[in-house]
Amino acid sequence: MRVASLEIHKEEFSFSAGHFTIFSATEREQLHGHNYHVSIAFKKVIQNNGLSFDYRVYKKKIHALCAQLDRHFLLPGQSQYLRLEEEGDYWLAHFNNKKIPFLKEDVVILPLSNITIEELSHWFLQKILEDAQEVKNHGIRGIIVKVYNGPGQSGGAAWGEN
Ligand SMILES: Nc1nc2c(c(=O)[nH]1)N=C([C@H](O)[C@H](O)COP(=O)(O)OP(=O)(O)OP(=O)(O)O)CN2
């Protein structure tokens, strides 16, 4: 039995987005952005036909997820320090007794506690694992997703054998 690892780290697995990291109830970064990049790696037994599985389905998924975030400002929907209030066309982000207004059309709210590279990597991994049957059908044994906010700086999330 030969086990293969497949890593896909395409230039187009990228998205430009704004965010700020929250460090405490009173400390956060100023608003800024990154050109993020995503890589995904799979662990899978190679079949007799020399193919582990056709990874194109996951390339499409990563592309679609990057497009969902691209050119938006990312806000954490599950932060213990930041409260989001809906007001007409706006989201008001309440942090440390101040209110930061965002137009809804500019924002993607993610079910995360912070917009960090480690949280973002878990978001991508969970979205890939949503179709658990597909992962099982492909016989995938392990997945690692990494999100880079710049060269040489990534957060990673892993599932299964790696
Ligand atoms: N555990 C984490 N810590 C920090 C994160 C993170 O995602 N996880 N993110 C930040 C900042 O948002 C990020 O570092 C800002 O990046 P950049 O503008 O590149 O600034 P750097 O501090 O990385 O400076 P460089 O000189 O470019 O390395 C902070 N902490």
Side-chain angles (χ1 to χ4, degrees):
M1 174 180 71
R2 293 177 301 146
V3 179
S5 61
L6 296 170
E7 182 171 356
I8 310 171
H9 189 177
K10 303 283 286 184
E11 188 59 33
E12 63 265 29
F13 281 1
S14 57
F15 58 97
S16 299
H19 85 114
F20 50 82
T21 301
I22 298 172
F23 300 108
S24 72
T26 56
E27 186 195 359
R28 68 172 175 83
E29 292 179 301
Q30 287 192 297
L31 283 62
H32 65 283
H34 300 284
N35 294 317
Y36 289 93
H37 282 85
V38 182
S39 72
I40 187 165
F42 301 93
K43 185 79 82 182
K44 167 67 170 76
V45 171
I46 305 176
Q47 301 165 112
N48 294 337
N49 64 358
L51 186 72
S52 44
F53 66 95
D54 183 354
Y55 51 60
R56 286 177 294 182
V57 64
Y58 293 108
K59 286 177 67 174
K60 286 190 183 111
K61 284 180 188 268
I62 297 289
H63 267 297
L65 292 169
C66 287
Q68 194 178 325
L69 305 184
D70 193 33
R71 299 177 187 279
H72 283 85
F73 195 88
L74 308 182
L75 286 171
Q78 295 173 357
S79 166
Q80 64 188 89
Y81 303 124
L82 180 136
R83 179 172 63 86
L84 293 172
E85 177 192 359
E86 198 166 358
E87 188 176 270
D89 294 334
Y90 294 85
W91 283 108
L92 303 179
H94 296 265
F95 178 82
N96 191 21
N97 300 314
K98 291 181 183 170
K99 206 163 34 176
I100 314 165
F102 293 92
L103 274 169
K104 283 180 179 173
E105 65 231 40
D106 291 336
V107 162
V108 171
I109 298 173
L110 295 175
L112 303 175
S113 56
N114 211 338
I115 302 300
T116 58
I117 45 180
E118 54 267 48
E119 283 279 89
L120 286 170
S121 67
H122 275 276
W123 182 79
F124 276 90
L125 178 61
Q126 287 315 310
K127 298 299 268 187
I128 292 295
L129 292 173
E130 272 178 358
D131 192 338
Q133 192 55 52
E134 181 181 66
V135 172
K136 187 175 179 188
N137 293 345
H138 282 133
I140 293 169
R141 293 181 161 203
I143 301 175
I144 294 176
V145 175
K146 291 182 182 176
V147 173
Y148 295 76
N149 61 8
Q153 200 160 272
S154 67
W159 165 86
E161 297 173 24
N162 287 295

